[in-house]
Amino acid sequence: PPPVTATALSCRRYVAGGQCKSTAKLEGKVVIITGANTGIGKETAKDLARRGKSQAFLHQHNVCARVIVACRDIAKAEAAASEIRAETGNQQIIVKKLDLADTKSIREFAEKFLAEEKELHILINNAGVMLCPYSKTADGFEMHLGVNHLGHFLLTFLLLERLKQSAPARIVNVSSLAHHGGRIRFHDLQGEKSYNRGLAYCHSKLANVLFTRELARRLQGNLMHADLFWPTFFFIGTKVTANALHPGSVHSELVRHSSVMTWLWKIFSFFLKTPWEGAQTSIYCAVAEELDSVTGQYFSDCQPAYVSPRGRDDDTAKKLWSVSCELLGIQWD
């Protein structure tokens, strides 16, 4: 091809990033994905739904993963679920109402799930908000902190025993490279003294990284190995892993609250990942066999990635855990 075309193709391949190569099957597994009605959540659900027997066998016996699509907008979730069923042949795509901006909704979702499902093997905390004008959740939490961190913190707490009972199991937290720009401002967690919606998003993504770090430590109980990027824990107690990830800059609806970002996303779409490309690291963390006993890691493009110094601060992670429990009115030891 002409030089310009070759350069463009090379650039596009670089933007696309890593792909999950695992062919792991998920027959009989139960998966929850929050925010799976659009973007990378929907693509993740579609991939995991396919990981069963052959398509013909699926239609006859439905031996595949049971994928719970947990979303706020039921109409959009049902449309996405119908599309996934049609494309994958997996009829076990279940839509459940979950509003992460309302702890009552989170508790109702967990209560119904625990009553209906006896197992849970993969929990993907994918849903999120970005660049919201200042607003609060139903419980009075700043929206980014409330949805991106506290909502998933509470959901994980409520479902953790079922994950332990179903072990080996995995918790996958979708964070972001934006965590590098975040800090946990304990003196103003709700952004009432000063607020910048870009920084609020960064703060919440740092909270995801710190939550993953502390959760992995608590689940495994002992640091066995440390590398340059992130401490890696190996099984000692539970066989539940927790890993975080950066999906990449993805062309999705996440920037809908900013007209400027929406405009820029359209102009520079060539340099953004598609939702399918952005879902690859979530899928990798959920199914890759080589991660069976790896926890407390942070990934990007299906490989370990560098974590900011603030994201490796154990004291901040422990304090955030304690403050989160206090805000949510729970005891999680």
Side-chain angles (χ1 to χ4, degrees):
V4 174
T5 304
T7 301
L9 288 172
S10 178
C11 178
R12 193 67 198 77
R13 280 194 293 269
Y14 176 79
V15 169
Q19 290 185 20
C20 178
K21 305 295 186 183
S22 172
T23 58
K25 303 301 183 185
L26 298 178
E27 292 103 329
K29 302 297 185 184
V30 180
V31 181
I32 292 175
I33 309 176
T34 67
N37 63 304
T38 187
I40 65 173
K42 180 180 173 183
E43 292 298 329
T44 302
K46 199 177 294 183
D47 182 281
L48 301 191
R50 283 195 180 101
R51 291 178 178 269
K53 300 287 187 182
S54 68
Q55 290 295 303
F57 193 88
L58 276 177
H59 282 295
Q60 285 187 328
H61 303 280
N62 219 15
V63 181
C64 46
R66 186 171 173 83
V67 181
I68 313 296
V69 175
C71 301
R72 179 175 56 86
D73 190 321
I74 292 295
K76 287 183 178 179
E78 289 287 3
S82 294
E83 181 183 324
I84 295 168
R85 292 185 200 110
E87 285 193 29
T88 66
N90 184 344
Q91 300 306 304
Q92 296 193 87
I93 312 300
I94 314 299
V95 172
K96 295 293 182 183
K97 170 83 171 179
L98 173 64
D99 184 354
L100 288 160
D102 185 348
T103 58
K104 182 181 177 182
S105 173
I106 298 168
R107 290 181 179 279
E108 287 176 351
F109 169 86
E111 184 178 349
K112 289 178 182 176
F113 174 84
L114 294 173
E116 296 169 3
E117 305 288 345
K118 301 309 176 189
E119 294 183 301
L120 175 58
H121 304 94
I122 302 171
L123 170 61
I124 303 180
N125 291 320
N126 165 82
V129 295
M130 180 180 181
L131 302 174
C132 300
Y134 189 78
S135 55
K136 291 188 174 184
T137 68
D139 301 273
F141 306 135
E142 185 277 316
M143 191 62 69
H144 293 91
L145 180 78
V147 171
N148 297 352
H149 169 59
L150 291 172
H152 284 128
F153 187 98
L154 178 60
L155 180 65
T156 305
F157 166 74
L158 295 171
L159 299 177
L160 188 59
E161 286 307 311
R162 188 57 44 90
L163 284 159
K164 288 179 179 178
Q165 293 163 9
S166 310
R170 301 188 187 192
I171 299 165
V172 179
N173 294 325
V174 179
S175 180
S176 169
L177 183 68
H179 85 270
H180 285 269
R183 66 191 315 164
I184 306 302
R185 303 166 68 247
F186 289 109
H187 67 286
D188 189 25
L189 269 183
Q190 309 305 337
E192 294 172 327
K193 297 177 181 177
S194 65
Y195 181 76
N196 176 291
R197 56 186 180 174
L199 288 177
Y201 176 73
C202 294
H203 302 334
S204 71
K205 294 291 100 178
L206 174 60
N208 293 155
V209 170
L210 291 168
F211 169 46
T212 305
R213 182 183 184 91
E214 181 64 10
L215 178 59
R217 186 188 71 80
R218 287 170 177 259
L219 286 171
Q220 307 310 330
N222 199 8
L223 182 63
M224 298 297 290
H225 169 73
D227 59 30
L228 173 64
F229 301 120
W230 185 256
T232 303
F233 300 87
F234 293 91
F235 291 137
I236 290 174
T238 70
K239 288 192 175 183
V240 180
T241 64
N243 291 299
L245 66 101
H246 167 55
S249 297
V250 182
H251 196 276
S252 71
E253 296 179 10
L254 193 59
V255 296
R256 63 186 176 275
H257 292 292
S258 170
S259 56
V260 172
M261 288 296 289
T262 300
W263 178 71
L264 288 173
W265 248 228
K266 288 180 180 178
I267 291 177
F268 295 105
S269 60
F270 181 82
F271 300 100
L272 299 172
K273 289 186 177 185
T274 64
W276 181 86
E277 291 164 349
Q280 293 305 301
T281 307
S282 294
I283 297 163
Y284 175 75
C285 290
V287 305
E289 297 92 337
E290 62 266 34
L291 300 187
D292 280 347
S293 57
V294 175
T295 187
Q297 276 274 15
Y298 171 77
F299 293 89
S300 178
D301 285 326
C302 302
Q303 60 186 0
Y306 182 74
V307 176
S308 73
R310 289 194 182 104
R312 288 179 268 128
D313 188 322
D314 286 328
D315 290 337
T316 301
K318 291 172 184 175
K319 184 174 180 181
L320 178 62
W321 185 284
S322 176
V323 170
S324 298
C325 287
E326 187 177 326
L327 289 170
L328 291 166
I330 61 175
Q331 285 189 319
W332 190 356
D333 298 322

